[in-house]
């Protein structure tokens, strides 16, 4: 029995090689140090994975993880986290997706699942009321994520079962294949789907009827719930999200001149109005929601006319309108919607998919590749049919798609001819939809985030776009801003809250109050940041152990040498050296980007100092 | 007799399932949708439907019960289950045309919506007003006439 509220107190360990299944108690010391979610998953990975293993080999592990708030009435806490060593970055490869799976996993009696080894043949894991079973999945192999979801629900004869699965992209080990839950909730980036595919794991299905117990009495839960609902109902960001979801700032980012266009060559996309928030709002059938969330920021859309008439799918997120819209120069409402649907069906991350296609289009523009390399395809900017053809070729690793399926970094290494400088990636992860020249904090975050160029690892955009006191173009103070937001994000991912919770009216004080109330552990607002900082440093150590260092905290040279050519951010470049100096200082890291021993001791990470020592000796 | 009903406008439902979780907290003091007196079913892609007791005039659940465990609450027209008499046999669950009777996962007795003494918690917390508590005459259900047809049109319980 666990002594804290909010946790089920148990992890399930499933070994696919031996088909052995066992329960383990959740370590209470880990809870105090790492809270849950991302923190605990990173802790398990650093302690259980040997450095240098192949992410697509049987020694890699997959951690499905929830947090103490998952399955409680506290709003925006439905997310499921999945963590692994990423086949795209070789860093910690965690990702988070909304929907219903996280709460259902708790109701089945577990805080998380550790999946090891590799099944001989395709399988799926079925967890029913705390009992786990490894089931054959040969009949599901080759099916897309929507068919797979429907077939498993039918087979298990249960409407309440929740499923995370992969499509063909994951089966084919596309390095940026996603895991998909409930057809449109994407645990998207860094190739979690490929790791599932490498283990012959088609899906995980879960169902349970247990309660999540909390430390406070019912009356106090109602009080807490009413308090946060009152705050959220008055919050303007919540109102904006109800209409447009994450796409709410697409037109604004374009207006401010840092919407990445044609592989980041430009920052203003002339055709944005066909693929911005209003264009998609007009196609709405209905909103849909994550579990327990009063914001319901997602929508199902239907294309009624044109050559993509009949396409029904979820509204493209900000990142999708960028990656499969402006970044590939595509200004066709229906074609982007179709591309979004294909990515969901095959199980692909839309950001990496779009950015790697944009990379190939710039190579074509510059004559580095020709029709003879692409199987006859002319990779012209904005050709919707070609883009959708490439998505399929990537998912099935057909012809030229096989090269792109490796991600921008590896694809550029294969193509050569100086194409490396058009691969818009950091540490192997494709850059998301804010040009760092137009918001310097996000650039610093791309360069330093423990997961590669990830916007959610330190979403400075909220401050740089909407806080009057923060100038998006200045370098001043961005070290501190980025560091603090990165640390907050780690705690958010460990609780687990939606990454927009802080924008929806949650304050550090209220987060601390909720966590204390639910768990019964006194977690002050200061403690929240300390936990986040501990996780940031732990994940940094994971990267150092894999052989990375401050030398890898870089941005593509385009951002450093080339000015944005026109628009509201015209003339901007990134002085990364200055930003990094500032950042390392705020972090208490040395000039090589290594945490100092004193820092690690203060963060109670003393047991990992040995890796720093090893590096010092090796170099 | 005039009475109020939890009226369902499925077009407004977003499947957040807040109704399920607040129901379990109100009725049982726990966070556990499996113990809720209602369910939301997602009929991808066009509609989500909250399912809750329709207070049928002919009460098929009551007629099916062989243990005298089901009665009508005269005050608010809700269905009341006597948990002492209930054997958990499941006859009422089979008889309910709307699948709005549930087996409690722990006690193994039937449970259904009792309208929270005339102030349903689910209605209070529904963020989209997909469920409202209104006099029968004003309800969408009265306007539609047959609820069964709605469920048939949605293909909800046909597998």
């Amino acid at each position: 029995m666990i002594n804290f509220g909010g946790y089920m107190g148990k992890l399930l360990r499933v070994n696919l090689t031996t088909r052995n299944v066992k329960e383990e108690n959740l370590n209470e010391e880990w809870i105090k140090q790492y809270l849950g979610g991302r923190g605990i998953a990173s802790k398990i990975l650093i302690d259980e994975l040997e450095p240098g293993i192949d992410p697509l080999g049987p020694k890699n592990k997959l951690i499905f993880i929830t947090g103490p708030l998952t399955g409680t009435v506290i709003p925006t806490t439905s997310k499921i986290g999945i963590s692994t060593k990423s086949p795209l970055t070789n860093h910690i490869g965690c990702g988070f997706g909304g929907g219903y799976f996280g709460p259902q996993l708790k109701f089945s009696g577990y805080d998380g699942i550790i999946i090891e080894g590799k099944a001989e043949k395709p399988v799926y894991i079925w967890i029913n009321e705390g009992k786990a079973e490894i089931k054959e999945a040969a009949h599901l192999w080759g099916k897309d994520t929507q068919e797979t979801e429907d077939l498993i629900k039918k087979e298990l004869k249960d409407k309440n079962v929740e499923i995370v699965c992969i499509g063909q992209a994951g089966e084919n080990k596309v390095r940026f294949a996603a895991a998909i839950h409930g057809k449109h909730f994407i645990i998207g980036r860094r190739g979690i789907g490929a790791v599932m595919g490498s283990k012959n794991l088609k899906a995980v299905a879960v169902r349970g009827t247990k309660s999540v117990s909390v430390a406070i009495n019912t009356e106090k839960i109602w009080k807490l719930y009413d308090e946060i609902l009152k705050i959220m109902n008055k919050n303007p960001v919540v109102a904006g999200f109800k209409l447009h979801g994450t796409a709410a700032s697409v037109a604004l980012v374009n207006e401010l001149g840092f919407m990445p266009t044609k592989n980041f060559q430009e920052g203003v996309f002339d055709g944005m109005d066909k693929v911005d928030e209003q264009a998609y709002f007009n196609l709405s059938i209905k909103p849909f929601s994550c579990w327990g969330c009063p914001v319901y920021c997602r929508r199902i859309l239907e294309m009624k006319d044109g050559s993509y008439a009949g396409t029904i799918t979820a509204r493209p997120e900000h990142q999708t309108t960028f990656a499969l819209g402006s970044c590939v120069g595509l200004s066709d409402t229906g074609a982007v919607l179709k591309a979004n649907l294909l990515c969901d069906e095959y199980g692909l991350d839309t950001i990496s998919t779009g950015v790697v296609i944009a990379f190939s289009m710039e190579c074509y523009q510059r004559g580095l590749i020709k029709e003879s390399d692409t199987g006859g395809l002319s990779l012209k900017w904005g050709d919707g049919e070609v883009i959708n053809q490439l998505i399929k070729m990537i998912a099935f690793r057909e012809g030229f798609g096989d090269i792109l399926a490796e991600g921008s970094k590896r694809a550029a290494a294969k193509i050569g001819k100086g194409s490396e400088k058009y691969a818009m990636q950091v540490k192997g992860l494709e850059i998301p939809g804010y040009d760092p020249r137009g918001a310097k904090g996000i650039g610093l975050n791309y360069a330093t985030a423990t997961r590669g160029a990830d916007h959610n690892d330190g979403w400075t955009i909220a401050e740089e776009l909407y806080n009057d006191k923060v100038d998006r173009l200045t370098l001043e103070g961005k070290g501190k801003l980025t560091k603090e937001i990165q640390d907050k994000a780690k705690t958010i991912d460990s609780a687990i809250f939606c990454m927009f919770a802080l924008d929806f009216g949650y304050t550090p004080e209220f987060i601390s109050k909720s966590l204390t109330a639910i768990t019964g552990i006194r977690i002050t607002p200061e403690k929240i940041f300390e936990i986040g900082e501990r996780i940031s440093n732990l994940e940094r150590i994971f990267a150092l152990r894999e052989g990375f260092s401050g030398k890898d905290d870089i941005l593509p040279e385009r951002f450093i040498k080339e000015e944005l050519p026109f628009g509201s951010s015209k003339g901007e470049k990134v002085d990364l050296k200055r930003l990094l100096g500032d950042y390392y200082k705020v972090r208490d890291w040395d000039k090589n980007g290594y945490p100092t021993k004193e820092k690690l001791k203060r963060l109670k990470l003393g047991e990992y100092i040995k890796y720093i020592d090893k590096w010092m000796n090796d170099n | 007799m005039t009475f109020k009903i939890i009226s369902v406008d499925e077009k407004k439902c977003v499947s957040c399932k807040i109704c399920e979780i607040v129901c379990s907290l109100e009725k049982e003091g726990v966070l556990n949708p499996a113990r809720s007196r209602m369910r939301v079913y997602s009929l991808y892609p066009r509609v989500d439907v909250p399912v809750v007791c329709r207070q049928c005039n002919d009460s098929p659940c009551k007629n099916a019960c062989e243990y005298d465990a089901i009665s009508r609450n005269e005050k608010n027209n809700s269905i009341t289950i006597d948990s002492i008499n209930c054997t958990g046999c499941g006859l009422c669950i089979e008889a309910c045309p709307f699948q709005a009777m549930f087996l409690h996962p722990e006690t193994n007795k039937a449970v259904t919506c009792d309208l929270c003494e005339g102030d349903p918690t689910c209605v209070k917390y529904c963020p989209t007003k997909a469920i409202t508590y209104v006099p029968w005459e004003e309800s969408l259900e009265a306007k539609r006439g047959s609820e069964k047809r709605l469920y048939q049109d949605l293909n909800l319980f046909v597998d």
Side-chain angles (χ1 to χ4, degrees):
Chain A
M1 272 296 284
I2 188 129
N3 290 314
F4 308 129
Y7 302 90
M8 307 310 285
K10 277 181 194 161
L11 295 173
L12 182 73
R13 192 181 287 269
V14 180
N15 188 311
L16 294 175
T17 309
T18 62
R19 298 180 79 97
N20 187 31
V21 174
K22 63 175 178 181
E23 266 181 17
E24 292 173 12
N25 290 330
L26 187 62
N27 183 321
E28 293 195 5
E29 203 46 46
W30 293 355
I31 290 173
K32 288 183 196 152
Q33 299 291 322
Y34 302 101
L35 196 58
R38 179 171 182 168
I40 286 188
S42 292
K43 170 74 179 162
I44 295 172
L45 289 177
I46 200 167
D47 286 356
E48 295 194 9
L49 294 189
E50 280 170 47
I53 58 152
D54 175 8
L56 295 176
K59 284 187 174 170
N60 198 6
K61 302 190 184 190
L62 276 162
I63 323 279
F64 282 57
I65 196 83
T66 63
L69 300 185
T70 315
T72 70
V73 74
I74 306 295
T76 81
T77 58
S78 73
K79 292 213 165 187
I80 178 71
I82 307 182
S83 198
T84 190
K85 180 176 172 182
S86 161
L88 200 57
T89 66
N90 283 319
H91 282 60
I92 293 266
C94 60
F96 299 84
Y100 310 88
F101 188 94
Q104 200 62 242
L105 179 58
K106 293 272 283 272
F107 301 139
S108 86
Y110 297 108
D111 295 297
I113 318 166
I114 303 170
I115 302 168
E116 310 174 324
K118 179 187 174 177
E120 210 175 304
K121 288 180 197 154
V123 295
Y124 75 94
I125 299 172
W126 165 222
I127 302 167
N128 185 15
E129 290 291 1
K131 282 195 200 93
E133 207 184 319
I134 298 172
K135 292 176 77 92
E136 300 310 314
H139 60 299
L140 302 171
W141 209 252
K143 303 272 189 245
D144 74 33
T145 61
Q146 304 207 356
E147 294 170 305
T148 304
E149 168 112 7
D150 290 341
L151 284 167
I152 294 179
K153 282 196 172 175
K154 213 169 165 186
E155 181 170 314
L156 298 174
K157 296 187 180 68
D158 194 330
K159 284 192 176 72
N160 296 305
V161 64
E162 299 297 348
I163 296 156
V164 168
C165 69
I166 56 168
Q168 298 92 337
E171 294 175 8
N172 294 325
K173 299 190 266 290
V174 174
R175 283 186 191 266
F176 44 89
I180 313 276
H181 155 58
K183 298 186 179 174
H184 299 301
F185 299 101
I186 321 295
I187 303 100
R189 306 211 68 194
R190 288 166 286 275
I192 288 162
V195 177
M196 285 179 71
S198 75
K199 297 188 175 305
N200 275 328
L201 178 63
K202 182 67 178 173
V204 179
V206 62
R207 157 100 179 108
T209 61
K210 294 188 170 64
S211 307
V212 175
S213 53
V214 299
I216 47 169
N217 64 29
T218 316
E219 197 187 321
K220 283 182 179 157
I221 303 176
W222 283 119
K223 234 181 112 191
L224 200 65
Y225 188 42
D226 289 340
E227 192 182 334
I228 189 62
L229 285 179
K230 213 170 139 191
I231 294 168
M232 290 177 76
N233 285 337
K234 283 190 294 194
N235 183 288
V237 181
V238 169
F241 264 61
K242 279 188 181 173
L243 291 177
H244 299 302
T246 63
S249 55
V250 169
L252 178 62
V253 171
N254 196 45
E255 215 173 283
L256 294 176
F258 66 110
M259 178 57 89
T261 302
K262 295 184 182 168
N263 202 33
F264 294 78
Q265 295 183 82
E266 296 158 12
V268 182
F269 184 44
D270 285 337
M272 205 78 234
D273 60 327
K274 294 275 195 315
V275 292
D276 70 2
E277 60 267 40
Q278 199 54 50
Y280 286 114
F281 188 80
N282 296 339
L283 307 180
S284 174
I285 298 181
K286 70 183 294 291
F288 70 100
S289 176
C290 290
W291 189 86
C293 184
V295 184
Y296 51 91
C297 74
R298 311 284 309 275
R299 269 171 200 270
I300 296 282
L301 311 184
E302 180 176 21
M303 198 68 202
K304 297 235 167 60
D305 41 35
S307 38
Y308 296 95
T311 303
I312 296 179
T313 189
R315 167 172 54 203
E317 305 284 334
H318 172 106
Q319 294 301 335
T320 304
T321 62
F322 134 74
L324 296 164
S326 64
C327 199
V328 290
L330 180 55
S331 176
D332 178 332
T333 316
V336 174
L337 196 67
K338 180 72 180 177
N340 192 35
L341 173 61
L342 290 177
C343 285
D344 285 4
E345 286 177 335
Y346 296 141
L348 283 167
D349 169 31
T350 56
I351 303 180
S352 286
T353 303
V355 175
V356 77
I357 291 174
F359 158 76
S360 70
M361 288 181 157
E362 187 167 359
C363 288
Y364 181 81
Q365 173 197 321
R366 295 181 186 276
L368 305 180
I369 51 171
K370 302 204 164 14
E371 276 84 355
S372 53
D373 301 302
T374 63
L377 286 181
S378 305
L379 306 185
K380 291 194 189 108
W381 296 110
D383 186 330
E385 274 180 36
V386 167
I387 289 161
N388 283 323
Q389 177 69 23
L390 281 173
I391 292 174
K392 185 167 178 252
M393 287 165 66
I394 291 170
F396 290 91
R397 283 186 175 270
E398 283 167 13
F400 184 60
D402 189 33
I403 296 175
L404 300 186
E406 289 291 290
S408 311
K409 189 180 176 180
R410 290 173 178 85
K414 269 192 188 160
I415 292 169
K417 301 179 196 170
S419 65
E420 291 83 354
K421 62 180 188 189
Y422 310 116
M424 305 312 281
Q425 52 81 27
V426 177
K427 301 180 175 103
L429 187 68
E430 283 71 17
I431 296 184
Y434 312 99
D435 192 307
R437 288 167 290 192
K440 302 301 188 314
I442 201 75
L444 177 57
N445 170 62
Y446 292 159
T448 58
T450 52
R451 300 189 290 193
D454 188 289
H455 55 298
N456 292 343
D457 243 2
W459 200 57
T460 59
I461 294 298
E463 295 291 317
E464 295 187 293
L465 264 193
Y466 297 112
N467 184 342
D468 292 341
K469 290 182 199 124
V470 177
D471 176 353
R472 66 189 170 92
L473 299 174
T474 189
L475 304 179
E476 221 62 54
K478 291 294 163 77
K480 185 165 181 284
L481 178 80
T482 302
K483 182 248 180 206
E484 283 178 358
I485 294 176
Q486 286 178 341
D487 291 348
K488 268 188 230 172
K490 304 294 187 302
T491 307
I492 293 284
D493 287 347
S494 300
I496 301 172
F497 279 105
C498 169
M499 70 154 292
F500 296 107
L502 289 163
D503 309 298
F504 292 158
Y506 275 96
T507 57
E509 289 70 30
F510 194 84
I511 289 176
S512 127
K513 201 161 130 181
S514 316
L515 284 168
T516 304
I518 298 294
T519 63
I521 309 166
R522 193 166 163 265
I523 301 171
T524 59
E526 298 73 41
K527 186 109 180 167
I528 288 176
F529 296 118
E530 189 192 303
I531 291 172
E533 192 177 15
R534 180 175 298 122
I535 299 166
S536 292
N537 280 272
L538 182 80
E539 293 183 359
R540 183 74 174 182
I541 292 164
F542 185 96
L544 301 178
R545 212 175 59 158
E546 293 292 330
F548 295 96
S549 73
K551 290 193 196 94
D552 301 288
D553 294 338
I554 50 172
L555 287 174
E557 72 170 41
R558 166 162 287 160
F559 302 133
I560 299 182
K561 292 190 176 158
E562 293 173 26
E563 295 179 354
L564 274 168
F566 46 78
S568 308
S569 302
K570 187 182 170 186
E572 288 296 323
K573 292 190 285 185
V574 184
D575 183 351
L576 183 63
K577 210 172 154 196
R578 199 175 130 199
L579 283 167
L580 277 177
D582 181 21
Y583 175 86
Y584 288 164
K585 213 154 110 193
V586 184
R587 275 241 175 262
D588 274 337
W589 291 356
D590 70 14
K591 61 180 190 331
N592 297 315
Y594 281 72
T596 60
K597 290 182 188 179
E598 294 69 37
K599 184 75 190 181
L600 293 184
K601 275 183 204 153
R602 268 207 305 281
L603 289 170
K604 297 186 186 148
L605 291 170
E607 62 181 301
Y608 298 109
I609 288 174
K610 60 187 177 200
Y611 298 118
I612 305 280
D613 286 339
K614 184 174 181 297
W615 186 86
M616 297 285 181
N617 288 335
D618 291 351
N619 291 273
Chain B
M1 174 193 155
T2 180
F3 62 92
K4 289 169 95 178
I5 181 171
I6 294 180
S7 176
V8 174
D9 183 352
E10 76 287 346
K11 289 192 179 70
K12 289 185 182 165
C13 180
V14 295
S15 200
C16 66
K17 308 197 181 194
I18 287 174
C19 51
E20 292 182 11
I21 191 157
V22 296
C23 179
S24 73
L25 192 58
E26 175 68 32
K27 304 316 292 182
E28 308 232 346
V30 296
L31 299 168
N32 186 347
R35 295 198 193 176
S36 139
R37 275 64 169 156
M38 65 193 306
R39 291 291 185 279
V40 178
Y41 292 106
S42 184
L43 301 166
Y44 180 87
R46 290 182 193 277
V47 84
D48 298 297
V49 195
V51 169
V52 62
C53 177
R54 307 287 70 210
Q55 303 176 43
C56 310
N57 282 336
D58 55 351
S59 44
C61 54
K62 184 169 175 259
N63 300 340
C65 182
E66 292 177 358
Y67 302 94
D68 204 16
I70 298 179
S71 58
R72 180 77 72 164
N73 179 333
E74 294 300 329
K75 265 198 245 159
N76 61 15
N77 200 43
S78 68
I79 293 291
T80 304
I81 297 164
D82 180 339
S83 62
I84 296 170
N85 283 0
C86 176
T87 63
C89 68
L91 285 173
C92 58
I93 292 170
E94 275 172 37
C96 175
F98 304 113
Q99 297 201 10
M101 275 279 170
F102 308 97
L103 198 65
H104 191 288
E106 195 145 299
T107 64
N108 276 319
K109 309 257 182 180
V111 289
T112 195
C113 174
D114 67 358
L115 298 172
C116 294
E117 295 175 7
D119 184 17
T121 303
C122 54
V123 168
K124 204 153 68 186
Y125 284 94
C126 175
T128 65
K129 306 271 176 283
I131 42 176
T132 47
Y133 191 51
V134 295
W136 165 255
E137 301 77 37
E138 296 168 23
S139 70
L140 270 175
E141 285 72 3
K143 280 177 208 140
R144 281 173 178 151
S146 168
E147 282 294 277
K148 279 181 200 165
R149 202 163 62 221
L150 168 71
Y151 282 59
Q152 277 160 6
D153 288 350
L154 292 174
N155 227 1
L156 182 54
F157 297 123
V158 185
D159 274 321

